[in-house]
Amino acid sequence: MTAPGTETRGVRSAARRRSGWRTQGPVVAVVAAGGALGALARYALALAWPTPPGGFPWATFWTNVSGCAVMGVFMMLITDVWSAHRLLRPFFGTGVLGGFTTFSTYAVDIRRLVDAGRPGLGAAYLLATLCAALAAVRLASAAARRVLTGRQR
């Protein structure tokens, strides 16, 4: 014989799992769709602007810097200007921009430069990307805030 109430515990936990999937399923789907779009855009940019062996990886550099600038504007828009649909941030911020920016390729590019006997260029790329990406987020969000809301922060 089972203890009173135990037969409903399994039913409740199964219902909770189904409910959790209903709320998280759309988020997973929009992140995946956005990530695919962002990765396709990054791939197209890399094909259009290939990096010669031992050369500075400009396509990856500008991909990361521009993606960070767009993220700065996007986050300012959805926090200061208008309220966004609950799936917009996961789709665009996590999906599209997460798929577009590529800090893993950035690390691989540094390694390739070092392996090609260009450690100085690798170090310059490491620092330039880091500084430019952080500056892009800060400056783009501040500029967008000032233009769209008339405020400084």
Side-chain angles (χ1 to χ4, degrees):
M1 184 156 197
T2 60
T6 53
E7 61 277 344
T8 60
R9 271 190 224 147
V11 172
R12 271 189 253 157
S13 65
R16 226 179 280 135
R17 281 192 303 270
R18 280 192 303 274
S19 174
W21 177 247
R22 270 188 233 128
T23 58
Q24 293 303 312
V27 174
V28 171
V30 299
V31 168
L37 292 173
L40 284 172
R42 174 175 32 96
Y43 181 67
L45 186 59
L47 287 178
W49 198 353
T51 302
F56 193 87
W58 287 107
T60 304
F61 176 82
W62 287 114
T63 296
N64 288 333
V65 172
S66 64
C68 287
V70 171
M71 180 56 83
V73 172
F74 175 67
M75 291 306 294
M76 189 284 309
L77 285 172
I78 66 172
T79 58
D80 291 3
V81 177
W82 40 265
S83 64
H85 186 277
R86 76 177 190 91
L87 295 177
L88 181 62
R89 181 185 277 181
F91 171 74
F92 191 74
T94 305
V96 173
L97 292 176
F100 181 68
T101 58
T102 174
F103 287 91
S104 59
T105 301
Y106 159 68
V108 170
D109 287 342
I110 293 166
R111 177 64 186 248
R112 284 186 184 146
L113 288 169
V114 170
D115 289 347
R118 314 255 345 244
L121 186 59
Y125 174 54
L126 185 148
L127 291 173
T129 299
L130 178 63
C131 292
L134 291 172
V137 170
R138 177 75 175 135
L139 295 173
S141 63
R145 181 175 290 108
R146 190 165 211 191
V147 167
L148 297 172
T149 67
R151 308 188 298 229
Q152 287 183 334
R153 200 184 243 181

